[in-house]
Amino acid sequence: MTTYTVPPRWLFLKIETDEGIVGWGEPIIEGKAATVAAAVDELSDLLIGKDPANIEDLWTIMYRGGFYRGGPILMSAISGIDQALWDIKGKALGQPVHQLLGGKVRDRIRTYSWIGGDRPGDTAAAALETKNRGFTAVKMNATEELQFIDSYTKVDQVIENVQAIREATGDDFGIGVDFHGRAHKPMAKVLIKELEPYRLLFIEEPVLSEHFGSLRDVMANTPTPIALGERLFSRWDFREVVASGAVDIIQPDVSHAGGITETRKIAMMAEAYDVALALHCPLGPIALASCLQVDAGSYNAFIQEQSLGIHYNTSNDLLDYVTDPSVFNYDDGMIDIPSGPGLGIEVNEEYVIERSAEGHRWRNPIWRHTDGSFAEW
């Protein structure tokens, strides 16, 4: 089991078997690549010498066998290992992962593109350019820093940005607005109400996941779909959120929430509550391929995040690490489900090794309010 820290902010995992079959995974929590790599190394003691085909048992041992469980580091390490094990199984059997999970319910899935950066600007022009490239939806950060109680000037700026996108792209274009956990309950209430006239595709993470209960009534009574879940890490984390009725879309991350094995269980649980699935994935090609394998067989999946051109991807971008970029075929705002064995992609190992020599030490910015206190990024 070998990890590679590669630009711009990703961690790749290669698992080799004694029969020569290699599987790839993407175990990463953004900003903690070295920590997750150490966790992968520790988990290897439970895996080396075992049959990689017994994915469910290996997952259970990794999750339950260390006494302490859950959380971003352990679950991200398990996620990448799980992806690589499914990649191995698919390659061994000559089938894409989705066939091993029961087959496809779709051939392709709608996708969206990020615009505007951390502090949203020039969003209308960026949205129109994205539409002209064939996408039918975008997502943007809603706002800059927000205090618990903040000015209506900041609210007005959010509305101005969204209104400009709507006017530039038309009524049928999808607009997702990500509060990014920056809004506390008082301002989230205001923003949700003020954005209602713009018929958004969804509002994402209106408050931090740990506070969703405090805004449950507001979220349940707005006509705007509410999405949440990138900072939840298991079916147990999602259980109360899904059952609450306050969330319309869940967004587990296949590189954070236990890999393909666990994310599929989360998706099925959400379907039982008539909650939609929109997998979180501002990451690399292995993570995206894993997401698409889950999307393929999840009836409630309706749109897929992807990182092509996202503002984090400076030194390298999504397609750089695969030998055949056309496997991610973007057309009419949709992306095809990869049909090759395993995850359906071929990682350019030589280039991975080359770029791992540079690696990265990516950290998210630390923001502060004008009074000097910490601000959510």
Side-chain angles (χ1 to χ4, degrees), residues 17 22 61 64 105 247 288 348 357 359:
T17 70
V22 170
I61 295 302
R64 298 180 184 273
V105 300
V247 174
L288 178 57
N348 186 339

Side-chain angles (χ1 to χ4, degrees), residues 26-78:
E26 196 166 332
I28 182 66
I29 197 81
E30 298 91 307
K32 298 288 189 294
T35 312
V36 177
V40 169
D41 180 63
E42 290 178 332
L43 288 170
S44 72
D45 294 343
L46 302 173
L47 300 171
I48 301 299
K50 300 296 192 298
D51 184 349
N54 295 328
I55 297 174
E56 193 69 43
D57 183 61
L58 294 175
W59 195 99
T60 301
I61 295 302
M62 288 189 289
Y63 181 79
R64 298 180 184 273
F67 186 74
Y68 299 101
R69 56 195 65 171
I73 303 303
L74 175 62
M75 295 306 290
S76 296
I78 291 174

Side-chain angles (χ1 to χ4, degrees), residues 69-321:
R69 56 195 65 171
I73 303 303
L74 175 62
M75 295 306 290
S76 296
I78 291 174
S79 295
I81 293 169
D82 181 82
Q83 293 166 11
L85 293 176
W86 278 108
D87 195 28
I88 289 168
K89 181 178 281 256
K91 289 173 178 175
L93 298 174
Q95 294 289 329
V97 169
H98 62 258
Q99 286 294 346
L100 307 182
L101 296 172
K104 296 186 294 183
V105 300
R106 61 177 51 81
D107 298 319
R108 63 195 65 85
I109 190 167
R110 189 182 184 190
T111 186
Y112 62 82
S113 183
W114 265 91
I115 60 169
D118 273 348
R119 289 186 168 94
D122 297 325
T123 49
L128 186 58
E129 189 272 334
T130 302
K131 181 180 181 180
N132 291 336
R133 287 193 287 122
F135 287 90
T136 62
V138 295
K139 187 170 81 175
M140 58 175 280
N141 281 314
T143 181
E144 301 180 359
E145 302 93 328
L146 277 179
Q147 277 280 17
F148 275 81
I149 307 294
D150 217 314
S151 72
Y152 271 86
T153 299
K154 291 187 178 180
V155 175
D156 291 342
Q157 185 60 60
V158 175
I159 303 307
E160 183 180 320
N161 284 338
V162 173
Q163 182 175 351
I165 294 173
R166 178 58 72 214
E167 291 174 352
T169 58
D171 292 339
D172 293 332
F173 192 75
I175 305 172
V177 176
D178 188 357
F179 286 17
H180 217 247
R182 295 173 185 172
H184 298 278
K185 180 178 70 170
M187 296 309 297
K189 289 165 59 178
V190 172
L191 284 166
I192 289 171
K193 182 174 179 58
E194 293 289 331
L195 285 166
E196 285 180 2
Y198 299 98
R199 298 180 176 179
L200 299 181
L201 188 66
F202 57 80
I203 286 173
E204 178 173 335
E205 209 174 29
V207 289
L208 291 169
S209 298
E210 56 263 37
H211 299 316
F212 95 95
S214 67
L215 204 63
R216 184 178 300 179
D217 290 345
V218 174
M219 294 190 293
N221 288 294
T222 179
T224 305
I226 300 295
L228 188 147
E230 69 188 69
R231 288 189 255 199
L232 300 175
F233 306 107
S234 71
R235 77 198 90 149
W236 298 280
D237 289 348
F238 276 94
R239 179 175 54 192
E240 183 182 356
V241 171
V242 169
S244 72
V247 174
D248 306 291
I249 306 161
I250 57 162
Q251 299 174 300
D253 190 309
V254 182
S255 281
H256 301 340
I260 292 169
T261 298
E262 183 73 353
T263 305
R264 179 171 165 80
K265 294 175 183 177
I266 294 166
M268 298 302 105
M269 179 173 65
E271 185 186 348
Y273 287 89
D274 208 24
V275 171
L277 179 73
L279 295 176
H280 181 256
C281 190
L283 297 170
I286 304 170
L288 178 57
S290 299
C291 286
L292 294 172
Q293 297 298 330
V294 174
D295 289 329
S298 300
Y299 176 72
N300 52 337
F302 83 101
I303 201 165
Q304 177 59 59
E305 181 174 25
Q306 53 83 46
S307 75
L308 187 63
I310 197 172
H311 47 288
Y312 306 118
N313 295 357
T314 52
S315 52
N316 281 103
D317 211 336
L318 175 68
L319 304 179
D320 293 349
Y321 292 102

